[in-house]
Amino acid sequence: MDFNFTEEQTMIRDSLARLIREQYDFDTRRKVVASKEGWRPKMWAQFAELGLLAAPFSEEDGGLGGGPIDAMVVMEEFGKGLVVEPFLQTVVLGGGFLKRGSDAQKAEHLAPLIAGERVFAFAYAEPKGRYNLADLETTAKKDGAGWKISGHKAVVVGAPWASHLIVTARTAGGRRDTKGIGVFIVAKDAKGVTTRDYPTVDGRRASEVHFDNVSVGADAVIGDAGNGLPLIERVTDEAIAALCAEACGAMKVAQNMTVEYSRQRKQFGTPIGKFQVLQHKMVDMFMEAEQSVSMTYMATLKLDEDDVTRKKAASAAKVRIGQAGRFVGQNAIQIHGGMGMTDELAIGHYFKRLTIIDSEFGNVDHHLKRYTDLSAVDVAVAAE
């Protein structure tokens, strides 16, 4: 695939790579993850100063005039450093909804988001919902001009650090109906919002969030309160493309670490990297990572296509990333041996992150089915 980055995108990549190399080494990350806060607000402020939080937004919205490709560049570098700060949750997801909101919502929220002063988390998953974005038990009922939200959202990544939540809730219809779904902006400190925070296996923080008759105004609704699913699917596909870019960065580092380790580790007086069977495995790891990069670029470039094309591209990339991440991570651990899973060795942390990425926004099985169903629609339309 012939793909050239702009000069600005290359500058962002180089600046971010240098920052991560100098201030986000593995030992520093371990200390941050183990700390009470679990992240560094000062690092988040640096990201804002570098323009990373502004990069994907249009100039009209106060950004640098970029888009999904800029987010892809940032996320790949974050994957290389296993960055835990909530760029995906705040900029890609939160910003993805807000930039499609009203002028008043943009004016209120986008400027502080870009400045690093406001952090968002996407509260969409529910205990019984699996990967179905329309499977909602959380409700939003009309209350005068506003709404009252009640329900439980599970594994809301980044919520412990968030000032605001983007919440999906059912406004009408049955539990799995595709209609009757709204998207709401909710301040995390609003009356009736309670959270239980915890660390995740890959070093981030998440929350179980409960809403007990939380009152929000009419201005809290993003888009159509009765038909929010198309918007949710679009923003989620953008997040999938960004997540795939993060996985590509993590896979590249995991593969390089494994090659370097194989040169140093000796058995019978010979570096294990000279064993042909391991050479073949490491070549396969390289190929899996490179194929994932191509699929990620393809998915990112098709985010502005029609709904079916966009969804198929996102699902195809997510399948490839899930399969490749599993292959690269498992073989990296196998070549490192049992010590690969110790907390002191970096490769185990990359393996954990790649494993979790497979389950975010739908695993391999879910997206294989989604792709198959969408392809059947294409075939049916072509036959008419």
Side-chain angles (χ1 to χ4, degrees), residues 306-325:
D306 62 90
D307 286 353
V308 173
T309 301
R310 184 199 75 238
K311 291 176 182 179
K312 287 178 66 177
S315 286
K318 193 62 164 59
V319 169
R320 181 87 288 271
I321 288 293
Q323 294 170 336

Side-chain angles (χ1 to χ4, degrees), residues 1-330:
M1 179 181 289
D2 182 15
F3 188 96
N4 294 313
F5 293 100
T6 66
E7 183 177 351
E8 291 78 10
Q9 290 163 350
T10 301
M11 289 176 59
I12 288 174
R13 183 190 295 278
D14 293 343
S15 298
L16 183 53
R18 183 169 56 253
L19 177 65
I20 290 174
R21 185 171 57 251
E22 294 174 354
Q23 300 187 38
Y24 225 104
D25 60 274
F26 175 62
D27 289 335
T28 299
R29 180 187 181 276
R30 282 182 65 204
K31 293 177 182 176
V32 170
V33 169
S35 68
K36 180 180 179 182
E37 294 79 9
W39 74 313
R40 286 184 288 176
K42 289 184 178 180
M43 180 59 67
W44 189 248
Q46 285 196 59
F47 292 159
E49 290 174 9
L50 283 173
L52 302 182
L53 309 188
F57 296 104
S58 66
E59 293 180 359
E60 291 78 7
D61 290 336
L64 300 182
I69 295 175
D70 299 76
M72 180 185 74
V73 169
V74 173
M75 287 297 291
E76 184 174 344
E77 295 305 313
F78 279 177
K80 293 176 182 178
L82 293 182
V83 171
V84 297
E85 277 71 25
F87 182 89
L88 180 74
Q89 291 73 31
T90 295
V91 177
V92 179
L93 286 163
F97 283 107
L98 291 169
K99 68 185 181 183
R100 296 176 173 96
S102 66
D103 290 340
Q105 288 168 338
K106 292 179 184 180
E108 180 180 356
H109 297 287
L110 278 183
L113 184 158
I114 290 170
E117 299 165 357
R118 191 163 292 182
V119 177
F120 285 80
F122 184 31
Y124 73 99
E126 299 193 0
K128 299 179 183 178
R130 191 61 174 166
Y131 300 127
N132 186 351
L133 296 173
D135 192 340
L136 298 173
E137 292 185 324
T138 298
T139 60
K141 297 181 179 180
K142 284 293 291 181
D143 180 42
W147 302 82
K148 282 190 177 294
I149 300 173
S150 296
H152 171 202
K153 295 295 184 177
V155 198
V156 184
V157 177
W161 311 321
S163 59
H164 290 74
L165 304 170
I166 303 292
V167 183
T168 61
R170 182 155 297 285
T171 58
R175 177 176 155 185
R176 296 183 180 89
D177 289 351
T178 56
K179 299 292 185 180
I181 296 173
V183 181
F184 300 84
I185 305 169
V186 181
K188 202 180 78 170
D189 61 0
K191 183 180 179 181
V193 178
T194 57
T195 63
R196 178 174 63 83
D197 306 336
Y198 50 87
T200 61
V201 70
D202 57 343
R204 298 177 299 166
R205 299 291 171 92
S207 301
E208 299 297 299
V209 184
H210 295 267
F211 302 90
D212 184 11
N213 285 322
V214 178
S215 295
V216 296
D219 58 350
V221 182
I222 300 176
D224 185 348
N227 190 31
L229 186 59
L231 173 60
I232 296 167
E233 291 176 331
R234 175 172 290 279
V235 175
T236 300
D237 283 341
E238 292 174 354
I240 286 172
L243 194 64
C244 288
E246 180 188 356
C248 288
M251 277 190 272
K252 288 179 180 179
V253 174
Q255 193 263 340
N256 289 334
M257 281 183 173
T258 304
V259 171
E260 184 61 30
Y261 177 79
S262 73
R263 292 171 177 163
Q264 299 174 3
R265 179 74 168 91
K266 293 183 178 181
Q267 285 186 349
F268 312 112
T270 302
I272 63 174
K274 291 187 177 294
F275 299 157
Q276 192 174 51
V277 66
L278 296 187
Q279 290 177 353
H280 288 168
K281 281 191 175 183
M282 287 183 283
V283 169
D284 288 341
M285 290 167 65
F286 174 79
M287 292 300 296
E288 292 283 338
E290 288 301 306
Q291 290 171 10
S292 297
V293 171
S294 295
M295 291 296 289
T296 298
Y297 285 5
M298 182 271 292
T300 303
L301 290 171
K302 291 190 176 183
L303 287 174
D304 290 330
E305 299 284 339
D306 62 90
D307 286 353
V308 173
T309 301
R310 184 199 75 238
K311 291 176 182 179
K312 287 178 66 177
S315 286
K318 193 62 164 59
V319 169
R320 181 87 288 271
I321 288 293
Q323 294 170 336
R326 184 182 304 130
F327 183 88
V328 171
Q330 290 178 351

